[in-house]
Amino acid sequence: MRLTCPLCGPRDRREFYYQGAARVLDRPAPDAGADVWDDYVHLRDNPAGETRDLWHHEAGCGAWLVVTRNTVTHDVTDVRLARDERATP
C-alpha cells in the first residue's frame, strides 16, 4: 500500500505508523460526562468499508495524517494533515 503524504508525496506504507481510528480527533469536552467519556475511551467500531484512520509519517516528515481508506478494497481515497482536520467544524 502507498500513501501520499501532503508534505512529501507518494511513499510506501512502511514509512508510516498506524495509530487507529481518527475518532481520537473528536475528543469530548472535559465536562461531557462519564458516559460520553466511557464510550470515547472504550468503544471501538470494526467497520467493513470506508474508515478514517490516524497515521504518523514516522520515517518521513513526522506529520500526523488522517487517511480515508476502504478496509474491504484497500483503496486509499484521501490523505490530509491531521492539523487541518481538527480545524474543520
Side-chain angles (χ1 to χ4, degrees), residues 5 20 22-23 28 35 44 56 58-59 63 66 74 79 81 83-84:
C5 176
R23 71 181 291 242
D35 289 342
R44 299 287 182 263
H56 180 228
E58 186 176 56
V66 175
H74 303 291
V79 180
L81 293 172
R83 67 176 181 225
D84 296 342

Side-chain angles (χ1 to χ4, degrees), residues 25-63:
L25 299 176
D26 302 324
R27 186 181 182 108
D31 59 351
D35 289 342
V36 173
W37 273 99
D38 185 58
D39 289 351
Y40 174 76
V41 172
H42 299 290
L43 299 181
R44 299 287 182 263
D45 291 331
N46 187 15
E50 188 174 274
T51 65
R52 289 176 62 239
D53 302 321
L54 192 60
W55 292 72
H56 180 228
H57 195 177
E58 186 176 56
C61 64

Side-chain angles (χ1 to χ4, degrees), residues 1-11 16 51-57 61 63-69 75-82 84-85:
M1 180 167 75
R2 293 184 64 80
L3 297 175
T4 301
C5 176
L7 302 176
C8 303
R11 297 290 191 263
F16 300 87
T51 65
R52 289 176 62 239
D53 302 321
L54 192 60
W55 292 72
H56 180 228
H57 195 177
C61 64
W64 287 90
L65 308 172
V66 175
V67 176
T68 303
R69 65 187 181 96
D75 289 334
V76 174
T77 56
D78 192 36
V79 180
R80 297 176 188 252
L81 293 172
D84 296 342
E85 285 291 300

